[in-house]
Amino acid sequence: MKKFVKLFALALAICTLLCCVGCVSDESTVKTYEDIKAAGKIVIATSPDFPPFESIEGGEVVGIEIDILNHIAKKWGITLDIQQVNFDAVLPGVQAGKYDVGVSGITIDEDRKKNADFTDPYFLAAQSIVVKVDSPIASKADLAGKNISVQTGTTAEKYCLSNNYNVSAFEANNDAFSALTSGKVDAWVVDNEVAVKMIEGDATVKMLDEAMTTEPYGFAFQKGSTDLAKHFSDEINAMIDDGTMKAIFDKYDVPYVSPKQ
Ligand code: ARG
């Protein structure tokens, strides 16, 4: 009988242990739409070095994505708690449950989908090449053997490394741009609309016409946040359908490319 009690106690202990392993897994910090509503705010991770999507003006983070988020927040009756981080810390922070949503001109790609949940896309971007005005580089084919700057952790870095280019990666997007203007590299690879904004008024550089990739942008959540991601997707899709999304892009003078064809 005693033996049976001991065995029973052991089985119980094992069950408790297994259960606890379950409760300290990532799942525990997954937020739902109701959690966000109850908290009255959403914690956003963003790298505000990416105009016109997010940048700093007068000490405030502003841009297309902030406008999109503000529109949704207003509807839900919540506020935005904006946390500034380097781009390569956005997705890991979201994955760890440190932030509720990653908002950083993030390209939805298959690798990232393994570790995070995404909304439906709200815009279609592309990677583009920026060079000095007098550069011999005229297309993607000319990049072979050249030195290229990119921002760390971006799809531009991934694309350039997978093509075996000589890549210099910079934590800050602005430093990747400066590497080109100061002559440290031959080309800068960056998302198209960001290139347009950042080189505006600089006659020493130009953006090439050839787009290298198609990049759907969306917002990222901790893996398992299907409920919250779905609520965001519903708002995004409604904004695309009723013209609110295009109106936000118009405000920033950016031609709106809808992901819904
Ligand atoms: N779309 C690219 C990516 O997902 C670049 C994003 C960079 N964003 C930023 N806020 N600096 O990798």
Side-chain angles (χ1 to χ4, degrees), residues 121-125 214-216 237 240-241 256-261:
Y122 71 85
F123 179 65
L124 284 188
T214 301
E215 313 240 337
N237 288 320
I240 296 174
D241 295 343
Y256 181 58
V257 186
S258 172
K260 296 184 174 191
Q261 297 311 332

Side-chain angles (χ1 to χ4, degrees), residues 125-204:
Q127 291 299 320
S128 54
I129 306 166
V130 181
V131 293
K132 287 266 183 77
V133 268
D134 53 359
S135 171
I137 300 171
S139 73
K140 182 158 87 173
D142 300 330
L143 289 180
K146 297 287 190 296
N147 296 318
I148 298 160
S149 63
V150 293
Q151 183 175 25
T152 313
T154 58
T155 43
E157 180 182 43
K158 185 170 142 186
Y159 176 84
C160 290
L161 288 174
S162 69
N163 277 285
N164 291 319
Y165 298 149
N166 305 329
V167 177
S168 299
F170 297 86
E171 285 282 343
N173 200 24
N174 216 23
D175 292 340
F177 178 31
S178 302
L180 172 68
T181 49
S182 64
K184 282 199 204 103
V185 295
D186 308 298
W188 171 41
V189 174
V190 65
D191 300 44
N192 56 345
E193 292 304 339
V194 177
V196 170
K197 269 287 174 290
M198 287 180 70
I199 70 174
E200 215 168 51
D202 185 337
T204 68

